Structures are given as C-alpha cells and as structure tokens.
Amino acid sequence: WFVFTIISLKTSLLTVKTIAVDFNRTDIYDKITRELSGVEVVDVLVNNVGTVYHIPEYFLKIGPKYNDQYLNVNVISAVKMIEIVLPQMCRNQRGIIINVSSQASESPIPMYTTYSASKAFVTFLSEGLSVEYESKGVYMQTVVPNQVHTKLTTNVSVPLISVSAEDYVSAAIQTVGVEHYTYGHWKHKLLAYLADWVLYVIGRRLYMKVAMNGTQPMRRKYYTQNNMSDD
C-alpha cells in the first residue's frame, strides 16, 4: 500500500488531503480522480512511488508476479498520475511535476533488468513531456538518484554511495526550477560521471557484464543467510 498527500494552498488556508491506494493495482485511478475533484488546485506532483526486487536476481527467478509489479508501480503509476493532474496545470498555466527515476535508467543493469527498463521508461516519459508542456507553464523535472537508504535498499546497501532519504531530499529540492535533469546529490552526480567515463572506455557490453558481476556478492550473501539453494 502506498499513501500520497495532496496539499492545496489557498491564500492563508492550507488543505491537506491524504489518499491511501495500492499502486500494484490498476483500478485505483478513478478513485484518485474522484478524491481530487474537490481539490481546487494541484500545483505540485511528485511521482516517487516505486518498487524493486529485494536482491539482484535473474529475470526468470523473479517471475511474473514481480515483473507485473514493476510495470504497475513504476510505469503505469507515472503515466496515470500525470494524466490526472496535467490538464488542470495546463488550464492554470502553472505546475511542477517531479518524476523520480534512477541512474539504473541510463544503462541496462543485468540482475535488475526489469527495474532498469521500467526506470528508463520514466526517464524518457519525463524528459519528453518536459519539452512538450514547457510552453504551457508546466515545469517537469527528472530526478535520477543512485542508492538512497530506505527500506527498499536494506539488502543491497552500499555505504560509500548510499545517502539518507533526508539528505537526498534536502539536496535534490534545491535543484527544482534549476535543472530539468538532476542526480539530486553530489555523490550521485560524481558517480554518474564516473560511470559515463567507464562506459565510454570499455563499451556498453563489457560495462553491463561488470555491473552484473558486481551484484553477485550481494545475491550470494542473501542466499547463504536464508539457507536458499541456487539451482
């Protein structure tokens, strides 16, 4: 289950409306539309809902259930939420939409293949719409973090590059209105530049193999800790 909050500011009156929905489902958007019908103005949408499999894993081992989750939560939610709020923003000639993607969208990441592909969709959707609707007064930003320490990253935490959610938000929010495409935090920006350099030097195919090899220790550790057989 996911909860999102709509904040509407009318003069000095602050209205907060909280809606609880399960973004694994695709039949929730009529409810969201109805709930938002009583909100006069929505000026900011942050598409931050997302899911990732708990460890690096092969496509067939993840299975249809989790691949469906990637599509429903990471892909469809972004499209549908933008569909809901964008018409009003265009009418009002103002609005901010922040779409949280991932650095995994910049190159395929084997063992996180479906996740990486779903985030590539978010990146392309966000960047394309940012140009389409700029003249309508709608500012759209694509945020591409690397690892942010949350419950989603418990099993794959890399302390050297991981930042707390609080630190990341504090840094990323300063880029709103400044950068249409942002890594959000200096650590992640530096890492992205390094990754681009390595990709340029060794080529895409070898880069993906190196990335895949880097995920194996985390996967083996999880299998060992949970007495699982890797057949």
Side-chain angles (χ1 to χ4, degrees):
W1 281 80
F2 303 90
V3 177
F4 67 94
T5 301
I6 298 296
I7 301 177
S8 179
L9 183 60
K10 305 174 186 177
T11 63
S12 61
L13 177 63
L14 181 67
T15 302
V16 178
K17 186 180 187 68
T18 300
I19 307 170
V21 292
D22 181 359
F23 280 98
N24 285 313
R25 300 169 62 99
T26 57
D27 60 353
I28 60 174
Y29 298 100
D30 286 343
K31 173 186 175 181
I32 295 172
T33 301
R34 288 194 304 271
E35 293 281 351
L36 293 183
S37 64
V39 179
E40 185 176 321
V41 177
V42 177
D43 279 335
V44 181
L45 167 67
V46 181
N47 273 323
N48 189 38
V49 62
T51 188
V52 63
Y53 198 68
H54 54 279
I55 58 169
E57 191 55 279
Y58 290 95
F59 178 83
L60 291 179
K61 282 184 173 288
I62 292 173
K65 174 185 175 183
Y66 289 101
N67 282 319
D68 285 349
Q69 283 187 8
Y70 280 132
L71 294 176
N72 293 338
V73 178
N74 294 0
V75 173
I76 293 176
S77 68
V79 174
K80 300 304 289 184
M81 291 305 300
I82 291 172
E83 282 182 348
I84 291 171
V85 305
L86 187 56
Q88 175 206 264
M89 289 182 173
C90 289
R91 286 195 300 270
N92 295 331
Q93 291 285 296
R94 72 174 192 265
I96 298 173
I97 299 178
I98 299 172
N99 299 301
V100 181
S101 181
S102 168
Q103 281 186 39
S105 72
E106 297 190 324
S107 177
I109 308 296
M111 308 300 284
Y112 286 107
T113 301
T114 313
Y115 173 77
S116 178
S118 71
K119 288 301 185 179
F121 178 93
V122 173
T123 293
F124 274 55
L125 176 74
S126 182
E127 288 198 281
L129 292 180
S130 72
V131 175
E132 283 186 39
Y133 288 94
E134 185 175 28
S135 64
K136 301 293 186 180
V138 179
Y139 172 86
M140 200 167 301
Q141 184 186 55
T142 309
V143 182
V144 282
N146 199 283
Q147 191 173 92
V148 178
H149 186 65
T150 67
K151 292 180 180 179
L152 285 178
T153 61
T154 301
N155 293 318
V156 291
S157 180
V158 182
L160 185 63
I161 63 173
S162 182
V163 298
S164 70
E166 294 78 10
D167 286 346
Y168 188 84
V169 171
S170 178
I173 202 169
Q174 297 180 50
T175 69
V176 177
V178 179
E179 301 177 32
H180 282 283
Y181 187 96
T182 182
Y183 295 104
H185 192 280
W186 70 266
K187 277 189 178 182
H188 295 176
K189 188 173 187 177
L190 182 62
L191 186 65
Y193 288 162
L194 177 61
D196 283 345
W197 180 80
V198 173
L199 182 62
Y200 174 78
V201 171
I202 69 176
R204 190 180 183 89
R205 185 74 179 180
L206 183 55
Y207 179 87
M208 288 190 292
K209 289 183 177 181
V210 171
M212 179 173 171
N213 289 337
T215 67
Q216 298 307 306
M218 291 180 283
R219 184 174 179 272
R220 286 195 296 269
K221 179 180 178 182
Y222 183 85
Y223 269 66
T224 300
Q225 288 177 339
N226 292 275
N227 297 314
M228 296 170 60
S229 174
D230 187 12
D231 50 12

PDB file of all heavy atoms in Angstrom, residues 15 45 51 80 94-95 97 108 120 137-138 140 189 204 212 222 225 229:
ATOM      1  N   THR A  15      -4.769  23.170   2.987  1.00  0.00           N
ATOM      2  CA  THR A  15      -5.615  21.985   2.993  1.00  0.00           C
ATOM      3  C   THR A  15      -4.769  20.764   2.674  1.00  0.00           C
ATOM      4  O   THR A  15      -4.055  20.749   1.667  1.00  0.00           O
ATOM      5  CB  THR A  15      -6.743  22.108   1.956  1.00  0.00           C
ATOM      6  OG1 THR A  15      -7.506  23.273   2.232  1.00  0.00           O
ATOM      7  CG2 THR A  15      -7.651  20.886   2.000  1.00  0.00           C
ATOM      8  N   LEU A  45       3.149  17.777  -8.329  1.00  0.00           N
ATOM      9  CA  LEU A  45       3.026  16.323  -8.300  1.00  0.00           C
ATOM     10  C   LEU A  45       4.428  15.740  -8.226  1.00  0.00           C
ATOM     11  O   LEU A  45       5.290  16.079  -9.043  1.00  0.00           O
ATOM     12  CB  LEU A  45       2.323  15.804  -9.560  1.00  0.00           C
ATOM     13  CG  LEU A  45       2.411  14.278  -9.782  1.00  0.00           C
ATOM     14  CD1 LEU A  45       1.646  13.520  -8.705  1.00  0.00           C
ATOM     15  CD2 LEU A  45       1.894  13.903 -11.173  1.00  0.00           C
ATOM     16  N   THR A  51       9.073   0.405  -6.886  1.00  0.00           N
ATOM     17  CA  THR A  51       9.364  -0.867  -6.242  1.00  0.00           C
ATOM     18  C   THR A  51      10.567  -1.502  -6.924  1.00  0.00           C
ATOM     19  O   THR A  51      10.846  -1.224  -8.097  1.00  0.00           O
ATOM     20  CB  THR A  51       8.158  -1.823  -6.314  1.00  0.00           C
ATOM     21  OG1 THR A  51       8.401  -2.986  -5.517  1.00  0.00           O
ATOM     22  CG2 THR A  51       7.860  -2.259  -7.749  1.00  0.00           C
ATOM     23  N   LYS A  80      -0.423   7.466 -15.351  1.00  0.00           N
ATOM     24  CA  LYS A  80      -1.791   7.766 -14.922  1.00  0.00           C
ATOM     25  C   LYS A  80      -1.852   9.005 -14.036  1.00  0.00           C
ATOM     26  O   LYS A  80      -2.778   9.822 -14.163  1.00  0.00           O
ATOM     27  CB  LYS A  80      -2.394   6.570 -14.194  1.00  0.00           C
ATOM     28  CG  LYS A  80      -2.478   5.299 -15.017  1.00  0.00           C
ATOM     29  CD  LYS A  80      -3.254   5.491 -16.309  1.00  0.00           C
ATOM     30  CE  LYS A  80      -4.732   5.663 -16.091  1.00  0.00           C
ATOM     31  NZ  LYS A  80      -5.477   5.742 -17.375  1.00  0.00           N
ATOM     32  N   ARG A  94       0.358  26.758 -14.950  1.00  0.00           N
ATOM     33  CA  ARG A  94       1.413  26.618 -13.947  1.00  0.00           C
ATOM     34  C   ARG A  94       1.356  25.209 -13.368  1.00  0.00           C
ATOM     35  O   ARG A  94       0.335  24.544 -13.386  1.00  0.00           O
ATOM     36  CB  ARG A  94       1.269  27.648 -12.829  1.00  0.00           C
ATOM     37  CG  ARG A  94       0.111  27.416 -11.860  1.00  0.00           C
ATOM     38  CD  ARG A  94       0.181  28.424 -10.719  1.00  0.00           C
ATOM     39  NE  ARG A  94      -0.709  28.075  -9.636  1.00  0.00           N
ATOM     40  CZ  ARG A  94      -1.938  28.551  -9.476  1.00  0.00           C
ATOM     41  NH1 ARG A  94      -2.440  29.391 -10.376  1.00  0.00           N
ATOM     42  NH2 ARG A  94      -2.671  28.202  -8.448  1.00  0.00           N
ATOM     43  N   GLY A  95       2.502  24.774 -12.829  1.00  0.00           N
ATOM     44  CA  GLY A  95       2.553  23.471 -12.186  1.00  0.00           C
ATOM     45  C   GLY A  95       3.958  22.890 -12.237  1.00  0.00           C
ATOM     46  O   GLY A  95       4.763  23.222 -13.117  1.00  0.00           O
ATOM     47  N   ILE A  97       5.890  19.075 -11.958  1.00  0.00           N
ATOM     48  CA  ILE A  97       5.823  17.617 -11.879  1.00  0.00           C
ATOM     49  C   ILE A  97       7.247  17.086 -11.759  1.00  0.00           C
ATOM     50  O   ILE A  97       8.083  17.338 -12.634  1.00  0.00           O
ATOM     51  CB  ILE A  97       5.120  17.008 -13.103  1.00  0.00           C
ATOM     52  CG1 ILE A  97       3.669  17.504 -13.200  1.00  0.00           C
ATOM     53  CG2 ILE A  97       5.156  15.482 -13.036  1.00  0.00           C
ATOM     54  CD1 ILE A  97       2.929  16.988 -14.422  1.00  0.00           C
ATOM     55  N   PRO A 108      21.353  -0.416 -19.212  1.00  0.00           N
ATOM     56  CA  PRO A 108      20.755  -1.640 -18.673  1.00  0.00           C
ATOM     57  C   PRO A 108      21.600  -2.224 -17.542  1.00  0.00           C
ATOM     58  O   PRO A 108      22.832  -2.272 -17.641  1.00  0.00           O
ATOM     59  CB  PRO A 108      20.727  -2.581 -19.879  1.00  0.00           C
ATOM     60  CG  PRO A 108      20.755  -1.673 -21.070  1.00  0.00           C
ATOM     61  CD  PRO A 108      21.591  -0.496 -20.669  1.00  0.00           C
ATOM     62  N   ALA A 120      13.905   3.439 -17.160  1.00  0.00           N
ATOM     63  CA  ALA A 120      14.209   4.080 -18.437  1.00  0.00           C
ATOM     64  C   ALA A 120      12.925   4.657 -19.043  1.00  0.00           C
ATOM     65  O   ALA A 120      12.935   5.741 -19.636  1.00  0.00           O
ATOM     66  CB  ALA A 120      14.849   3.080 -19.401  1.00  0.00           C
ATOM     67  N   GLY A 137       3.480  26.381 -19.292  1.00  0.00           N
ATOM     68  CA  GLY A 137       3.753  26.825 -17.930  1.00  0.00           C
ATOM     69  C   GLY A 137       4.001  25.703 -16.950  1.00  0.00           C
ATOM     70  O   GLY A 137       4.065  25.931 -15.737  1.00  0.00           O
ATOM     71  N   VAL A 138       4.133  24.466 -17.459  1.00  0.00           N
ATOM     72  CA  VAL A 138       4.355  23.307 -16.582  1.00  0.00           C
ATOM     73  C   VAL A 138       5.840  22.964 -16.590  1.00  0.00           C
ATOM     74  O   VAL A 138       6.422  22.690 -17.641  1.00  0.00           O
ATOM     75  CB  VAL A 138       3.532  22.089 -17.036  1.00  0.00           C
ATOM     76  CG1 VAL A 138       3.795  20.894 -16.124  1.00  0.00           C
ATOM     77  CG2 VAL A 138       2.045  22.427 -17.053  1.00  0.00           C
ATOM     78  N   MET A 140       8.656  20.362 -15.625  1.00  0.00           N
ATOM     79  CA  MET A 140       8.779  18.939 -15.335  1.00  0.00           C
ATOM     80  C   MET A 140      10.247  18.593 -15.127  1.00  0.00           C
ATOM     81  O   MET A 140      11.105  18.951 -15.943  1.00  0.00           O
ATOM     82  CB  MET A 140       8.182  18.104 -16.455  1.00  0.00           C
ATOM     83  CG  MET A 140       7.828  16.689 -16.023  1.00  0.00           C
ATOM     84  SD  MET A 140       6.776  15.800 -17.212  1.00  0.00           S
ATOM     85  CE  MET A 140       5.336  16.862 -17.307  1.00  0.00           C
ATOM     86  N   LYS A 189      25.909  12.452  -8.488  1.00  0.00           N
ATOM     87  CA  LYS A 189      26.362  13.129  -9.699  1.00  0.00           C
ATOM     88  C   LYS A 189      27.790  12.703 -10.049  1.00  0.00           C
ATOM     89  O   LYS A 189      28.092  12.414 -11.219  1.00  0.00           O
ATOM     90  CB  LYS A 189      26.291  14.643  -9.502  1.00  0.00           C
ATOM     91  CG  LYS A 189      26.555  15.454 -10.758  1.00  0.00           C
ATOM     92  CD  LYS A 189      26.289  16.929 -10.502  1.00  0.00           C
ATOM     93  CE  LYS A 189      26.388  17.733 -11.791  1.00  0.00           C
ATOM     94  NZ  LYS A 189      26.046  19.171 -11.561  1.00  0.00           N
ATOM     95  N   ARG A 204      29.647  -0.623 -23.963  1.00  0.00           N
ATOM     96  CA  ARG A 204      28.378  -0.934 -23.303  1.00  0.00           C
ATOM     97  C   ARG A 204      28.289  -2.393 -22.845  1.00  0.00           C
ATOM     98  O   ARG A 204      27.868  -2.683 -21.738  1.00  0.00           O
ATOM     99  CB  ARG A 204      27.236  -0.608 -24.262  1.00  0.00           C
ATOM    100  CG  ARG A 204      25.838  -0.650 -23.665  1.00  0.00           C
ATOM    101  CD  ARG A 204      24.829  -0.307 -24.758  1.00  0.00           C
ATOM    102  NE  ARG A 204      23.471  -0.244 -24.284  1.00  0.00           N
ATOM    103  CZ  ARG A 204      22.896   0.857 -23.793  1.00  0.00           C
ATOM    104  NH1 ARG A 204      23.585   1.970 -23.698  1.00  0.00           N
ATOM    105  NH2 ARG A 204      21.643   0.850 -23.406  1.00  0.00           N
ATOM    106  N   MET A 212      26.932  -6.627 -13.763  1.00  0.00           N
ATOM    107  CA  MET A 212      26.327  -7.884 -13.322  1.00  0.00           C
ATOM    108  C   MET A 212      27.225  -8.597 -12.315  1.00  0.00           C
ATOM    109  O   MET A 212      26.759  -9.099 -11.285  1.00  0.00           O
ATOM    110  CB  MET A 212      26.062  -8.782 -14.521  1.00  0.00           C
ATOM    111  CG  MET A 212      25.455 -10.131 -14.153  1.00  0.00           C
ATOM    112  SD  MET A 212      24.980 -11.073 -15.621  1.00  0.00           S
ATOM    113  CE  MET A 212      24.578 -12.653 -14.857  1.00  0.00           C
ATOM    114  N   TYR A 222      22.775 -13.125   0.396  1.00  0.00           N
ATOM    115  CA  TYR A 222      21.358 -13.298   0.740  1.00  0.00           C
ATOM    116  C   TYR A 222      20.968 -14.768   0.699  1.00  0.00           C
ATOM    117  O   TYR A 222      20.285 -15.264   1.597  1.00  0.00           O
ATOM    118  CB  TYR A 222      20.493 -12.502  -0.237  1.00  0.00           C
ATOM    119  CG  TYR A 222      19.021 -12.573   0.076  1.00  0.00           C
ATOM    120  CD1 TYR A 222      18.449 -11.698   1.005  1.00  0.00           C
ATOM    121  CD2 TYR A 222      18.203 -13.519  -0.529  1.00  0.00           C
ATOM    122  CE1 TYR A 222      17.093 -11.766   1.308  1.00  0.00           C
ATOM    123  CE2 TYR A 222      16.849 -13.599  -0.236  1.00  0.00           C
ATOM    124  CZ  TYR A 222      16.297 -12.712   0.691  1.00  0.00           C
ATOM    125  OH  TYR A 222      14.958 -12.796   0.995  1.00  0.00           O
ATOM    126  N   GLN A 225      22.540 -16.497   3.813  1.00  0.00           N
ATOM    127  CA  GLN A 225      21.890 -16.118   5.062  1.00  0.00           C
ATOM    128  C   GLN A 225      20.512 -16.757   5.212  1.00  0.00           C
ATOM    129  O   GLN A 225      20.064 -17.016   6.329  1.00  0.00           O
ATOM    130  CB  GLN A 225      21.757 -14.597   5.146  1.00  0.00           C
ATOM    131  CG  GLN A 225      23.068 -13.869   5.388  1.00  0.00           C
ATOM    132  CD  GLN A 225      22.908 -12.366   5.392  1.00  0.00           C
ATOM    133  OE1 GLN A 225      21.941 -11.831   4.842  1.00  0.00           O
ATOM    134  NE2 GLN A 225      23.855 -11.664   5.980  1.00  0.00           N
ATOM    135  N   SER A 229      18.816 -22.492  -1.892  1.00  0.00           N
ATOM    136  CA  SER A 229      19.573 -23.206  -2.895  1.00  0.00           C
ATOM    137  C   SER A 229      19.532 -22.441  -4.207  1.00  0.00           C
ATOM    138  O   SER A 229      18.453 -22.042  -4.672  1.00  0.00           O
ATOM    139  CB  SER A 229      18.986 -24.601  -3.097  1.00  0.00           C
ATOM    140  OG  SER A 229      19.622 -25.259  -4.168  1.00  0.00           O
TER     141      SER A 229
END
